[in-house]
Amino acid sequence: MSSSTPSHHALTLPKIDETQYALLTRSQYLWMKLKLLSLPFIITTELLISPFAARSKNKPLKRIIGDAPFRFLIKNFSQAELQHLFGTDVGVYSTWARKAKLPIVLDELDDGAKLMWIGPKRCEKVILYCHGGGYHLSVQAYAISFWRYIQVQLEKRGVEVGVAIGVYSLIPTSHFPAPLWQTTRALEHLFSVENVKPSNLVLVGDSAGGNLVAQVLSSILHPPHYDVGVGTTTTHISKSKAPREPPHLNAADTAGTRIRVRGAYMMSPWVGLTGVHPLGTTEFIPSFTENNNLDILTKEFLITWGTNVLNGAPNRSLHIDTIPYLDPLHAPDDWFQGLQSVVERVSVSTGSKECLRDADRVFFKERIKPYHGEAEFWEQEGGVHIDPYLDFQVGDGPLRGALTPRILEWVWECFSGGR
């Protein structure tokens, strides 16, 4: 695929129905609770086999204890069960903030978008964090703790930054383009209301959040044709208003030119939602099979949830409308041409033992690097999906590998002007 001009069929903000989130019958709820009783056995078994199991033998003890339940939940629990267990964005954030003795600062924006601030609300320099969760699950406490750690370490170096978590609607409450629409709303708010300069903003995201960062960059390069008509007249998230004019990032630049943000970092970005590359082939991307028993995610999980995401997108019969935004691995070859003009610094990271490893490699090599001379790619040896975050699930700081220090250094360089 070489043409970078998409068909201009309008994208509409889908209906948003929060009542569909974590929807369980009583019997389903009881079955979920019953399955949870096996967690101690799962952890004990993994500890016993860890000296011999490839996925655990080189991990610290704390990580074995933390990673085993994660993999068990992903393999054995339904979407609704996981949503019930993982909670809501606002709920997880509020609980984390109270435990950390930090203020709860929540900005409610148009069209169901929200910003949740980690620590003090600062707008001179800002990290906008797009959380992962496969577009199905909320932000998790370990991810918030990771970015709080980065924030505190930057403060020790004399760089004060605000860290805002973007909240977007999750499947099945809504579908694409809702996350992109709402994240664009959040950026509009930061630029026009909070007076954040694009040159002082860094976009970061993991997994689906990394995919969403790529969507934002795509939308600056190729502004989508949004329509606020069909599908937006029903009730949205509580207290949200009927949508205003469609979001448009370039319009946020008062000079009338394309914006250029300071940086964009994608950790284990979820690309290759079909599990194959290129489209039309029948064999899975090699790492999907090679790392199926090593990663915290499985091939089956990624394919099932990827299918949910793609099937919920509008204009499925017109792949060119949605695929370049939703799955950049399958975008036209020159889709990211001009990338260096919209983001000063960009980086992508993956782990050698994650299912998405080869998809992330191809994404960087074929989509990012040719159009950004300063782009960086980091692969953590022995790393699984979102590996740096998982250290913060069981501790207060990094436990292994050099990726977390590299991320910290990269963010510091973004805001300090260093290299």
Side-chain angles (χ1 to χ4, degrees):
M1 202 184 298
S2 60
S3 172
S4 61
T5 304
S7 302
H8 288 290
H9 292 265
L11 291 176
T12 302
L13 177 64
K15 298 175 183 178
I16 301 171
D17 184 359
E18 278 195 315
T19 65
Q20 298 302 306
Y21 187 79
L23 195 59
L24 293 173
T25 65
R26 180 169 177 77
S27 61
Q28 289 171 331
Y29 175 79
L30 293 174
W31 174 236
M32 177 193 71
K33 300 293 284 187
L34 184 63
K35 287 190 289 184
L36 287 172
L37 296 177
S38 61
L39 268 179
F41 173 77
I42 296 297
I43 296 172
T44 301
T45 301
E46 193 67 26
L47 287 170
L48 291 174
I49 68 172
S50 62
F52 318 102
R55 66 172 172 263
S56 295
K57 63 181 180 181
N58 294 319
K59 290 181 180 178
L61 180 64
K62 285 184 176 181
R63 279 293 302 272
I64 297 171
I65 294 171
D67 290 9
F70 197 106
R71 181 178 171 86
F72 170 72
L73 292 172
I74 291 299
K75 287 183 66 176
N76 296 282
F77 286 66
S78 70
Q79 167 192 304
E81 289 172 331
L82 290 171
Q83 288 179 338
H84 183 89
L85 292 171
F86 282 47
T88 64
D89 287 309
V90 174
V92 171
Y93 162 74
S94 299
T95 299
W96 179 91
R98 283 191 288 267
K99 184 177 179 182
K101 295 181 171 55
L102 290 171
I104 297 172
V105 183
L106 176 63
D107 295 335
E108 294 207 35
L109 313 177
D110 288 304
D111 303 335
K114 296 182 179 71
L115 286 173
M116 306 185 301
W117 293 84
I118 301 175
K121 181 175 180 178
R122 300 170 178 148
C123 296
E124 183 177 349
K125 296 180 174 71
V126 174
I127 295 172
L128 177 60
Y129 168 49
C130 302
H131 72 80
Y135 293 116
H136 293 70
L137 301 177
S138 64
V139 68
Q140 292 302 294
Y142 54 75
I144 305 177
S145 294
F146 177 90
W147 289 108
R148 174 59 178 166
Y149 170 83
I150 296 294
Q151 184 182 48
V152 171
Q153 294 303 310
L154 290 173
E155 289 174 359
K156 292 178 180 178
R157 298 186 182 196
V159 178
E160 294 189 342
V161 301
V163 182
I165 307 167
V167 177
Y168 54 85
S169 297
L170 302 170
I171 296 171
T173 65
S174 194
H175 293 272
F176 177 86
L180 175 58
W181 183 300
Q182 292 163 327
T183 302
T184 305
R185 280 284 186 241
L187 285 165
E188 280 186 332
H189 174 82
L190 289 172
F191 295 149
S192 63
V193 177
E194 305 294 353
N195 296 315
V196 177
K197 295 179 180 179
S199 59
N200 283 334
L201 182 129
V202 172
L203 280 166
V204 299
D206 61 279
S207 194
N211 177 291
L212 186 52
V213 169
Q215 285 188 38
V216 171
L217 297 176
S218 292
S219 73
I220 302 173
L221 290 166
H222 307 278
H225 178 200
Y226 287 122
D227 183 359
V228 296
V230 179
T232 64
T233 56
T234 60
T235 302
H236 295 275
I237 291 176
S238 60
K239 297 184 181 178
S240 68
K241 304 173 184 178
R244 303 178 292 118
E245 288 299 312
H248 193 301
L249 276 183
N250 292 337
D253 187 346
T254 56
T257 58
R258 181 181 285 170
I259 69 166
R260 189 175 194 240
V261 297
R262 174 71 72 181
Y265 167 54
M266 293 161 272
M267 177 194 294
S268 301
W270 189 21
V271 295
L273 275 63
T274 61
V276 300
H277 179 72
L279 281 175
T281 60
T282 56
E283 293 187 3
F284 288 112
I285 295 168
S287 59
F288 271 62
T289 301
E290 178 185 332
N291 291 332
N292 190 46
N293 293 317
L294 303 177
D295 199 1
I296 59 168
L297 303 182
T298 65
K299 174 178 68 177
E300 293 75 17
F301 173 84
L302 288 165
I303 299 304
T304 299
W305 281 35
T307 300
N308 288 347
V309 172
L310 292 170
N311 285 345
N315 302 320
R316 280 290 293 141
S317 62
L318 301 169
H319 282 38
I320 194 68
D321 288 330
T322 57
I323 289 297
Y325 300 98
L326 196 50
D327 193 351
L329 188 65
H330 295 135
D333 294 342
D334 58 352
W335 183 253
F336 286 99
Q337 186 172 2
L339 181 63
Q340 199 151 0
S341 70
V342 303
V343 58
E344 182 176 328
R345 306 188 67 191
V346 62
S347 59
V348 177
S349 70
T350 193
S352 68
K353 290 187 177 180
E354 66 171 298
C355 290
L356 291 174
R357 180 198 65 201
D358 293 346
D360 290 342
R361 286 175 176 175
V362 172
F363 169 58
F364 180 80
K365 180 180 179 181
E366 297 184 3
R367 298 292 182 267
I368 301 299
K369 186 60 177 176
Y371 303 109
H372 202 298
E374 304 299 317
E376 299 180 55
F377 182 79
W378 313 316
E379 184 169 315
Q380 181 178 355
E381 182 61 33
V384 297
H385 191 62
I386 62 168
D387 197 283
Y389 286 0
L390 301 179
D391 289 347
F392 289 79
Q393 183 175 228
V394 293
D396 298 325
L399 296 175
R400 66 173 193 156
L403 187 50
T404 295
R406 185 66 197 94
I407 295 167
L408 171 60
E409 195 69 20
W410 183 86
V411 176
W412 178 78
E413 289 168 354
C414 283
F415 286 120
S416 68
R419 180 62 197 161

